[in-house]
Amino acid sequence: MNFKLKALVASLALVAALPAGAAMTTSTSGDSSLILSLLDASGGISATFDLGYSKSTFNTSASNSWNLTTGDYSSAWAAFTAAGSVANAQYAVFAGDKLGSGVGAQSLFTTGAGTVTAVSTSTLTTMLNAFDTYISANNAFTNHSTRPNGASSITSAGVDAVNASETFTNTVAYAGNGAAYGGNGGKIANFGADTNGAVGADLYVWNLLSGANGTANTSVTKLSVAGFNPFFTLTSDGLLTYTAVAAVPEADTSAMMLAGLGLMGFIARRRKSV
């Protein structure tokens, strides 16, 4: 192997060994990143976590989990909990597709504890525009551009809560900003078309699909997998879980249930024979 070839191989190996920067993808691409957003409006702090999937690659049929207190997420989680209150926070999971027009061309994967209602297709487009503004702004903060699955925490003043020395500011990176993500009262149709996204609550998954034109309403579907409605849950200690299948009773619980049914049957037979 000659020197030039060896140098080329070494260079390629070095590139492969370096961590890939992977800024979050917007819905304009047709397949945005799947993100978790946290907001404590009273504390003036929000946080954004790249969950490592896109809208199309996230497997909605398989349970999953993310620990926000570890790895590349940890600094953003620590900054959020230091400046805000998890007890006052709302959370939501989003992904979008704003590529194209017509029936079903645009879509929003969102979460909500209650019933999500239809909106006009033009409103859906506005939501996706706000979503993209928010994502693009956050890509410039903390470690989104240098880590495959990064995270950021931004104050209401548009300041990076993780990097105190960072002089760059962008207020639309804050989830409560009215110009991006729908504002404190909206947050993209009430943070996932639902105002009940409190930390600790189970949030179901909804898909909004565009209508034939801007004035036509979206279709709204609650995700169902084999008759079960999957949901996200974020705990106060920073564990985000996605539950895709119904819980199976533990063996001892099942045994107790069977024993109870057997006892009830025995009592019924005794009463009948008396």
Side-chain angles (χ1 to χ4, degrees):
M1 185 181 292
N2 61 42
F3 176 79
K4 288 184 178 180
L5 183 57
K6 286 182 178 180
L8 177 60
V9 171
S11 297
L12 292 173
L14 177 62
V15 170
L18 292 174
M24 294 177 291
T25 306
T26 65
S27 69
T28 305
S29 68
D31 190 26
S32 86
S33 298
L34 183 72
I35 71 161
L36 162 70
S37 188
L38 265 172
L39 172 65
D40 175 10
S42 60
I45 189 82
S46 67
T48 304
F49 301 85
D50 182 349
L51 297 181
Y53 298 92
S54 70
K55 187 175 184 294
S56 66
T57 61
F58 180 64
N59 185 358
T60 57
S61 299
S63 296
N64 210 330
S65 65
W66 301 260
N67 189 338
L68 307 183
T69 68
T70 62
D72 295 330
Y73 293 153
S74 60
S75 59
W77 175 261
F80 180 86
T81 54
S85 169
V86 177
N88 294 333
Q90 285 186 300
Y91 79 101
V93 177
F94 292 103
D97 172 5
K98 198 172 75 69
L99 188 64
S101 61
V103 178
Q106 296 185 7
S107 60
L108 177 65
F109 174 108
T110 185
T111 52
T115 301
V116 173
T117 57
V119 296
S120 70
T121 296
S122 61
T123 299
L124 174 63
T125 301
T126 300
M127 290 179 180
L128 291 169
N129 285 336
F131 176 65
D132 286 350
T133 299
Y134 174 80
I135 286 180
S136 297
N138 272 277
N139 274 334
F141 286 102
T142 316
N143 59 12
H144 284 296
S145 62
T146 60
R147 296 291 186 271
N149 305 316
S152 54
S153 186
I154 311 299
T155 70
S156 57
V159 176
D160 192 332
V162 176
N163 300 322
S165 60
E166 175 63 69
T167 58
F168 174 75
T169 62
N170 191 337
T171 56
V172 294
Y174 170 62
N177 189 295
Y181 226 11
N184 289 342
K187 302 177 288 296
I188 297 190
N190 294 324
F191 230 7
D194 193 301
T195 56
N196 299 317
V199 171
D202 296 337
L203 302 187
Y204 294 96
V205 177
W206 300 80
N207 285 295
L208 280 67
L209 298 177
S210 59
N213 51 55
T215 59
N217 277 351
T218 59
S219 63
V220 181
T221 306
K222 188 176 185 179
L223 181 64
S224 177
V225 176
F228 177 77
N229 297 122
F231 57 89
F232 285 92
T233 308
L234 176 62
T235 62
S236 59
D237 57 357
L239 182 64
L240 175 70
T241 57
Y242 174 74
T243 304
V245 294
V248 178
E250 294 183 5
D252 54 348
T253 303
S254 300
M256 290 178 66
M257 290 175 62
L258 290 172
L261 290 172
L263 179 60
M264 290 175 63
F266 174 74
I267 294 172
R269 285 195 299 272
R270 280 182 59 89
R271 286 180 176 177
K272 187 175 179 180
S273 62
V274 173

